[in-house]
Amino acid sequence: MTISMEATASLDQGPPDDAVDLLAMMLRIRMFEDKVMDLFSQNLVRGSTHLCQGQEAVTVGVCSTLRPVDTMTCTYRGHGAVIAKGAALDACFGELLGRVGGLCRGKGGSMHFADFSVGAIGSNAIVGAHLPITVGAALASSYVGDDRVAVSFFGDGATNIGAFHEALNLAAIWKLPAVFVIENNQYGEYSPLRATTPIDRLARRADSYGIPGVLVDGNDVAAVRSVAQSAVQRARAGDGPTLIEADTYRQVGHSRSDPATYRPAGELDRWLAKDPILLLEQSMLARWSEADLDAVRQAAQHDVDVALETALAMPEPPLDELAKDVWA
Amino acid sequence: MSDEINYRKVIAVALADAMREDDSVLLLGEDVGAAGGAFKTTAGLFEEFGARRVRDTPISEQAIVGAAIGSALCGLRPVAEIMFADFAGVCFDQIANQLAKYRYMTAGQAHLPVTIRMANGAGAGFAAQHSQAAENWFLSIPGLKIAVPATVPDLYLLLRAAIRDNDPVLVFEHKNLFALKGPIPRDAEPLRLGVADVVRRGSDVTIVATQQMRHRSVEAAELLAQDGIEVTVIDPRTLIPFDDEAVRASLEQTARLMVVQETVQAGSWGASLIARMVQHHFELFDAPPMLISTPDTPAPYAASLEREWLPSVDDIRISARDLVNW
Ligand SMILES: Cc1ncc(C[n+]2csc(CCOP(=O)(O)OP(=O)(O)O)c2C)c(N)n1
Ligand SMILES: [Mg+2]
């Protein structure tokens, strides 16, 4: 029943033609998240925040196959996904800082980045809850007969919540244009996957829904993109949803307060050696010079620094914002 | 206006009229299509509108509500059916954390024109897990509108208003009113959510009640009138928004307030209404407000027990007399 789809490209075959753009986006996300860590230690970020350093190739690879009209939902660990979908960095920082110029005028915060103008239709802080919503977005495309695709990013842990099952089952029987992407970063909050999940390859769960399940190296942006492309094409062609498992690693703790001491010795180092940005840069050296890469790095850092400065100058929301937007 | 129809059947009439008016309206739920609904409230719609617009779902309440939310975010105007309101428990997150908050968290980047229809209430012997007046579960979640129609025309008009509304509306259809008859108000003005119906006017006591309890209150009022006690009965029709002004205006005349509800006191709309009235209009009261509720137990099965559990016409009549004589 399951159609197997293999990655048709990988960085081993050399860098993609648009490697500079992919690298720039991954660096912007990495540098954004590093800055968030700083802001956190300065007490400028309220509540909690969940960072995605190490996972950038998944969201950048997938989103590079999407158009602004395609929709994307993601988790509270979603800064990278929303930036990869095209949201402006200054508005992202503004949201994080609780400023009126933020994506959601400071009402959502770190866990609720959304920018409908680029198709980022919501970051969800309830594990798995955005999967049924993604089904609805895909239903809308199929209902009106346009060719928009609905993509959802979620964690390995989310494959154990009921909403995952209900969403994939419904998307499958209605053959909806949805792509479900597991960011398998090996952990829930603090529990390793094997402690919570009786199978080791989550893509196999696709079998229950009669849809393709694909495993991909989530640190290889070219490989991620190639499986995403097939899944998106399949969706647009009316052949239904795909489940992609992108194997990756969360290089930092789960959230602000987590030093991640539960990781076995050597695990982080093994994954750092496969850092997605490092892998892309290494492959790019076949066609670009170290100086070229440096220029990309500097431009990304400049973008992030300027965006933060802009955001820090944004005012806090006026108090009349409190009562706005409850009702249409 | 001559056509009489029952409360069960007017649902499909309202849905069909909404679907003819607007192609972005679609229905989803368990057995709503070919089977015509577990309560036959969507009978005939599949035949007229087909499988694209009348969609049978798996038994997946989270996916039903989530799909409604996602499709609304992308421009549709979905009507989701949750077969029994009690089942809202299994998709509570989608209603409470997603549907209600999506607009606020995204600072109004999207509208949520979602209608959720649910069969509600006790009196037909469905026992504890199929008899709750579940509207009270949603009172403390800003972002949801709540409609509780008691009559055939109100059900028609409230459903139409809910579907046209750009905010989420939960519409509770009372199972024990399915056989009630009334006219289809096709020529009436569209109803605004938040406008009470003053069902009858009297100067001695104001009774506020919804759905099944509205009808029992009217019956009690007619009996009281024979004894010379004149009762105003107000049906708020929607709990959010609530027509406080209709109640306040009536209190100016009666100075006595009774609320009758088909649920326990704790966390109920009746308790909230009394709190607001006492807080803001204390000077209008000549007697303590009275709240008639069910005992603090789940709904029982046996006919004798369920009859005892629900506020009866006699409970209302006797309590209203006490209130007037206070
Ligand atoms: C329904 C629900 N249960 C629990 C939590 C608390 N929680 C937040 S993140 C998280 C771990 C989720 O793990 P995973 O799905 O793998 O995503 P990751 O955080 O690794 O990206 C948990 C348990 C929550 N937010 N929602
Ligand atoms: Mg995880």
Side-chain angles (χ1 to χ4, degrees):
Chain A
M1 185 78 194
T2 300
I3 304 160
S4 91
M5 286 199 292
E6 299 295 326
T8 53
S10 89
L11 290 173
D12 293 341
Q13 301 156 5
D17 291 339
D18 62 344
V20 168
D21 296 337
L22 296 171
L23 178 63
M25 189 59 94
M26 288 167 67
L27 284 167
R28 283 150 59 98
I29 294 170
R30 176 69 54 92
M31 290 165 178
F32 181 91
E33 295 289 68
D34 288 348
K35 272 277 189 267
V36 177
M37 264 208 275
D38 283 358
L39 295 170
F40 221 94
S41 53
Q42 297 170 49
N43 249 335
L44 287 170
V45 183
R46 313 190 73 234
S48 193
T49 192
H50 309 76
L51 304 176
C52 70
Q53 289 101 327
Q55 306 183 193
E56 296 91 344
V58 182
T59 49
V60 172
V62 172
C63 290
S64 73
T65 69
L66 304 177
R67 307 158 305 176
V69 292
D70 297 317
T71 62
M72 187 280 296
T73 62
C74 58
T75 74
Y76 47 85
R77 198 182 302 290
H79 305 164
V82 174
I83 293 170
K85 195 69 175 56
L89 290 174
D90 53 359
C92 291
F93 274 129
E95 191 56 32
L96 193 85
L97 294 165
R99 304 300 167 90
V100 71
L103 291 172
C104 306
R105 296 215 288 277
K107 290 185 189 174
S110 168
M111 297 196 279
H112 300 300
F113 281 17
D115 183 350
F116 277 65
S117 70
V118 297
I121 64 167
S123 304
N124 220 296
I126 307 294
V127 168
H130 55 302
L131 276 71
I133 294 170
T134 301
V135 172
L139 169 61
S141 306
S142 133
Y143 185 83
V144 302
D146 65 22
D147 66 349
R148 289 185 297 167
V149 170
V151 173
S152 185
F153 295 103
F154 51 94
D156 43 283
T159 66
N160 288 329
I161 202 162
F164 168 86
H165 169 65
E166 292 194 15
L168 268 72
N169 186 66
L170 186 58
I173 52 160
W174 285 352
K175 274 192 180 280
L176 296 179
V179 179
F180 297 99
V181 184
I182 308 169
E183 304 173 285
N184 182 357
N185 62 9
Q186 319 301 325
Y187 289 89
E189 286 183 332
Y190 319 119
S191 303
L193 188 60
R194 67 177 176 283
T196 57
T197 308
I199 55 174
D200 60 350
R201 290 287 43 133
L202 302 171
R204 283 173 50 197
R205 294 198 157 169
D207 273 352
S208 318
Y209 312 108
I211 63 172
V214 197
L215 172 66
V216 67
D217 177 352
N219 283 15
D220 180 332
V221 69
V224 170
R225 178 164 46 196
S226 79
V227 298
Q229 232 150 19
S230 312
V232 166
Q233 270 164 17
R234 196 181 126 78
R236 284 202 215 293
D239 295 331
T242 301
L243 177 64
I244 295 173
E245 175 185 0
D247 211 26
T248 184
Y249 194 70
R250 190 191 73 205
Q251 295 177 357
V252 296
H254 163 69
S255 63
R256 74 179 302 185
S257 50
D258 174 24
T261 49
Y262 44 81
R263 296 193 291 215
E267 185 180 85
L268 176 60
D269 288 338
R270 278 199 306 282
W271 281 96
L272 285 175
K274 295 198 289 182
D275 180 286
I277 293 176
L278 184 69
L279 292 188
L280 178 57
E281 287 179 345
Q282 280 170 351
S283 113
M284 285 176 74
L285 285 173
R287 271 173 61 185
W288 283 273
S289 70
E290 185 56 54
D292 292 333
L293 299 191
D294 219 42
V296 180
R297 286 184 203 116
Q298 278 176 24
Q301 191 65 62
H302 176 77
D303 288 350
V304 169
D305 291 347
V306 170
L308 178 55
E309 244 172 81
T310 308
L312 284 167
M314 292 171 180
E316 296 199 345
L319 296 184
D320 68 352
E321 273 295 329
L322 177 66
K324 286 185 185 163
D325 302 322
V326 180
W327 309 111
Chain B
M1 295 285 283
S2 57
D3 301 356
E4 285 264 319
I5 194 170
N6 69 29
Y7 185 97
R8 180 198 306 275
K9 287 189 173 150
V10 80
I11 294 168
V13 174
L15 294 173
D17 285 352
M19 292 174 83
R20 284 180 206 120
E21 179 182 279
D22 182 350
D23 186 62
S24 67
V25 177
L26 72 164
L27 311 184
L28 30 154
E30 294 156 20
D31 295 320
V32 296
F39 296 105
K40 298 286 172 274
T41 49
T42 52
L45 298 177
F46 183 81
E47 289 72 12
E48 177 173 353
F49 298 100
R52 172 174 168 266
R53 299 187 69 187
V54 186
R55 307 182 75 106
D56 281 324
T57 68
I59 307 160
S60 299
E61 279 76 9
Q62 296 188 64
I64 294 169
V65 178
I69 295 170
S71 66
L73 294 176
C74 295
L76 302 189
R77 202 167 276 279
V79 180
E81 175 176 306
I82 299 298
M83 193 183 291
F84 282 79
D86 313 68
F87 307 164
V90 299
C91 52
F92 200 76
D93 172 65
Q94 288 293 330
I95 301 175
N97 285 323
Q98 310 301 328
L99 182 61
K101 298 176 173 57
Y102 221 98
R103 183 183 166 78
Y104 193 76
M105 294 195 310
T106 60
Q109 290 184 60
H111 289 315
L112 277 298
V114 174
T115 301
I116 303 183
R117 302 173 36 244
M118 311 188 227
N120 202 42
F126 281 98
Q129 294 175 338
H130 289 72
S131 297
Q132 291 162 95
E135 64 271 24
N136 288 284
W137 299 354
F138 301 98
L139 289 176
S140 55
I141 307 167
L144 302 172
K145 295 178 179 173
I146 299 176
V148 282
T151 68
V152 170
D154 281 358
L155 177 48
Y156 178 88
L157 292 170
L158 287 170
L159 254 182
R160 297 296 309 272
I163 295 169
R164 283 201 196 101
D165 203 279
N166 278 334
D167 288 316
V169 186
L170 312 182
V171 180
F172 292 88
E173 296 161 359
H174 201 292
K175 302 191 281 294
N176 223 22
L177 298 178
F178 277 149
L180 186 76
K181 290 214 155 147
I184 306 172
R186 275 210 170 104
D187 305 324
E189 285 285 296
L191 196 61
R192 227 165 16 90
L193 300 175
V195 181
D197 179 19
V198 181
V199 184
R200 77 196 294 293
R201 290 178 194 275
S203 55
D204 295 325
V205 57
T206 303
I207 299 182
V208 184
T210 63
Q211 301 207 303
Q212 185 164 226
M213 292 303 127
R214 163 199 162 140
H215 295 288
R216 292 189 181 184
S217 298
V218 169
E219 246 185 87
E222 277 156 12
L223 294 172
L224 287 160
Q226 293 169 13
D227 299 342
I229 296 177
E230 292 304 333
V231 179
T232 291
V233 176
I234 297 178
D235 177 354
R237 301 197 279 204
T238 58
L239 301 181
I240 299 175
F242 200 104
D243 191 349
D244 280 10
E245 174 51 26
V247 179
R248 187 207 61 78
S250 171
L251 274 178
E252 289 217 351
Q253 274 223 311
T254 64
R256 283 170 164 77
L257 175 63
M258 171 188 277
V259 180
V260 189
Q261 62 183 15
E262 190 182 316
T263 183
V264 299
Q265 290 207 6
S268 64
W269 66 267
S272 300
L273 172 64
I274 286 175
R276 292 196 302 276
M277 286 298 141
V278 170
Q279 198 171 353
H280 301 301
H281 308 295
F282 188 65
E283 73 286 355
L284 295 180
F285 284 86
D286 281 351
M290 199 177 262
L291 178 55
I292 312 288
S293 308
T294 65
D296 287 339
T297 72
Y301 167 69
S304 57
L305 296 180
E306 192 182 38
R307 210 178 302 119
E308 174 66 14
W309 186 75
L310 281 171
S312 66
V313 173
D314 250 12
D315 292 336
I316 299 166
R317 186 180 58 80
I318 292 163
S319 300
R321 173 184 296 281
D322 290 349
L323 185 56
V324 170
N325 293 330
W326 187 83

